[in-house]
Amino acid sequence: MEKQLIGVEVENFRSLRKVSLPLGPLNVLVGPNGAGKTNVLEVFRFLADVIRTDLQPALDLRGGFDDLVFRGAEKPPNHLQIKLKATWTTHSSRTAPDEYSLRVTRSSRRESFQFKRTQGRGRRITISGQKVSVVDTGQGGGERQIGINALSSGLSTLPRLSDDQGGTEVATVAQRLASFRVFDVRVDAARLPSRFPRGRSEVLDEDAANLAGFLLALRSQDESAWQRLVDDAREVLPQLDSIDFEYPSGAAREVVIVLHERGLRRPTQLADASYGTIRLLGLLALLYDPNPPSLTCVEEIDHGLHPQALELLVERLREASERTQFLIATHSPALADRLRPEELVVCERRDDGSSAIPALSVQQIERIVAESEGLPLGELWFTGALGGDL
């Protein structure tokens, strides 16, 4: 992916006292319970909520500033901060990335955007209180000021700026952040019928509650992708022959997934399928999403899956990472065994309650692998050679 998030820095967000995490196409967080994996994913859910609902509602949803800020210090910190670097806008690059920063205190917020526009030119937008400062950073650049509601976030309001004031670039950043999704397939919801898709395109719910409608839309929209998904499901589920749909009558126009399995007289509705089968179909659905978010986060991706599914899952993750970045949490050494050093992010919890993420650099992991004469990453992690432990 050319347009991607290349790094995030976080201060005082739950256990993330001070974290700087570079990001590639596929990033897999491993570590014990309480190490901070979920908190990393929550950073991106929080940013998406800031755009969808604005800053104050996003804070209130999490209990307010005092519940969100780091709790491990002797004195509570007076701020939390999130910084992003990305190559999302037209003229950005890894050497001249887009930058976004959000700093929040109990009573105020400060935001800044910085990005290139054309050759030799740049734009910096700073928001403090009710004042927005727009500065051209190129030669002969000037400054303009705009008013803004004190409780509003720039992400939710500044896309209305004119193109000359940087509205196009801010809108691009806001659209990318708003698309972030944190998936955690909820089997009890995914197994139920869902409403008939309203069009050919359907957005997969974060808990996969509309799994049946999404898969029906995928079959209509992209027959090739649908067939690859079915082939993958058959590879992991040897008893599976095919996947089809039923349409119960009534005004609700519901759709139900049915599985045709060898040796059975009748098809099996998804409501009667195993936990692991439903989890697998939910994960394959997000991997074959024709319109994925810019960043796809997945909580405990291996939960409920047989180890034989993990080889295929990692292959499909790498293929799908050409269309969306992945940030994934796992407890599975078997999944980690199939990763490359640059894909593994080791997470640890320090004695002061803060998270060390990443606890090891890519270079350190590569050195440990070389010294182990090529042992797989999951085995190294499981035995404690990578510093993490189960």
Side-chain angles (χ1 to χ4, degrees):
M1 289 177 63
E2 293 182 4
K3 302 297 183 182
Q4 63 179 357
L5 186 63
I6 59 178
V8 58
E9 297 179 16
V10 186
E11 291 183 18
N12 299 324
F13 187 99
R14 294 186 172 169
S15 70
L16 309 181
R17 176 69 180 86
K18 195 173 182 64
V19 164
S20 180
L21 176 61
L23 294 169
L26 174 59
N27 311 272
V28 182
L29 305 167
V30 300
N33 290 328
K37 301 186 298 297
T38 297
N39 290 338
V40 174
L41 304 186
E42 183 62 21
V43 167
F44 297 104
R45 197 198 301 268
F46 173 71
L47 289 173
D49 285 346
V50 167
I51 300 172
R52 295 167 188 157
T53 67
D54 217 337
L55 177 58
Q56 193 60 54
L59 289 169
D60 292 342
L61 184 65
R62 293 159 176 82
F65 176 85
D66 289 327
D67 275 3
L68 195 58
V69 78
F70 178 63
R71 300 179 185 178
E74 290 185 9
K75 294 182 179 180
N78 61 9
H79 75 279
L80 64 86
Q81 183 164 288
I82 302 169
K83 294 182 179 180
L84 304 178
K85 291 185 178 181
T87 56
W88 288 333
T89 63
T90 302
H91 300 287
S92 61
S93 65
R94 286 188 167 270
T95 55
D98 305 313
E99 297 184 21
Y100 170 71
S101 172
L102 171 64
R103 181 185 176 94
V104 182
T105 71
R106 288 179 182 83
S107 58
S108 67
R109 62 90 182 85
R110 182 179 176 86
E111 287 175 278
S112 67
F113 301 82
Q114 186 161 318
F115 40 79
K116 282 184 68 64
R117 301 208 79 206
T118 55
Q119 187 65 33
R121 295 184 60 207
R123 173 66 46 76
R124 183 174 65 249
I125 301 175
T126 305
I127 308 160
S128 183
Q130 293 179 277
K131 185 176 73 173
V132 179
S133 173
V134 181
V135 178
D136 291 320
T137 58
Q139 187 174 5
E143 178 177 357
R144 286 160 286 179
Q145 293 188 355
I146 306 166
I148 188 174
N149 189 302
L151 298 178
S152 291
S153 127
L155 285 172
S156 60
T157 58
L158 291 188
R160 294 193 292 268
L161 291 174
S162 67
D163 177 62
D164 185 57
Q165 294 170 327
T168 300
E169 287 82 5
V170 175
T172 298
V173 172
Q175 288 164 4
R176 292 280 181 165
L177 295 180
S179 79
F180 288 178
R181 280 185 279 167
V182 181
F183 285 98
D184 189 4
V185 177
R186 191 159 60 89
V187 169
D188 59 341
R191 69 168 68 244
L192 298 177
S194 64
R195 64 169 176 78
F196 197 88
R198 294 194 177 97
R200 286 171 58 85
S201 181
E202 178 90 351
V203 176
L204 182 64
D205 292 344
E206 292 188 1
D207 61 358
N210 67 333
L211 179 60
F214 177 86
L215 290 179
L216 178 60
L218 178 65
R219 187 177 72 172
S220 301
Q221 180 181 1
D222 191 335
E223 185 176 348
S224 175
W226 167 253
Q227 190 55 57
R228 293 197 302 274
L229 183 151
V230 173
D231 289 344
D232 285 346
R234 293 175 63 186
E235 181 175 339
V236 178
L237 306 169
Q239 77 280 7
L240 180 67
D241 274 334
S242 63
I243 303 173
D244 208 344
F245 303 90
E246 292 179 352
Y247 313 95
S249 59
R253 297 193 72 206
E254 291 179 326
V255 56
V256 175
I257 297 173
V258 293
L259 309 176
H260 294 273
E261 300 175 287
R262 283 190 292 279
L264 299 184
R265 293 191 306 275
R266 294 181 300 176
T268 303
Q269 289 195 356
L270 198 64
D272 298 320
S274 72
Y275 183 97
T277 294
I278 298 169
R279 282 275 304 172
L280 175 69
L281 290 179
L283 293 172
L284 289 175
L286 73 89
L287 290 171
Y288 282 100
D289 188 343
N291 300 297
S294 60
L295 178 69
T296 300
C297 303
V298 188
E299 183 74 75
E300 301 302 345
I301 194 168
D302 57 281
H303 187 52
L305 297 183
H306 191 279
Q308 72 182 32
L310 300 181
E311 185 77 41
L312 181 141
L313 190 64
V314 171
E315 290 178 12
R316 295 298 175 264
L317 283 166
R318 289 190 182 122
E319 293 169 3
S321 69
E322 297 179 3
R323 298 180 293 112
T324 175
Q325 277 183 280
F326 285 99
L327 184 61
I328 290 166
T330 184
H331 282 111
S332 170
L335 188 145
D337 275 344
R338 292 158 170 82
L339 298 176
R340 301 162 183 159
E342 66 272 17
E343 297 168 338
L344 189 75
V345 180
V346 178
C347 307
E348 294 182 348
R349 187 72 171 262
R350 301 187 181 99
D351 290 340
D352 65 358
S354 66
S355 297
I357 303 175
L360 296 171
S361 68
V362 174
Q363 293 74 22
Q364 288 173 311
I365 294 174
E366 290 174 338
R367 177 178 55 78
I368 293 170
V369 170
E371 291 175 352
S372 74
E373 297 183 349
L375 285 177
L377 293 175
E379 185 173 343
L380 290 171
W381 171 49
F382 186 84
T383 60
L386 294 180
D389 95 74
L390 298 174

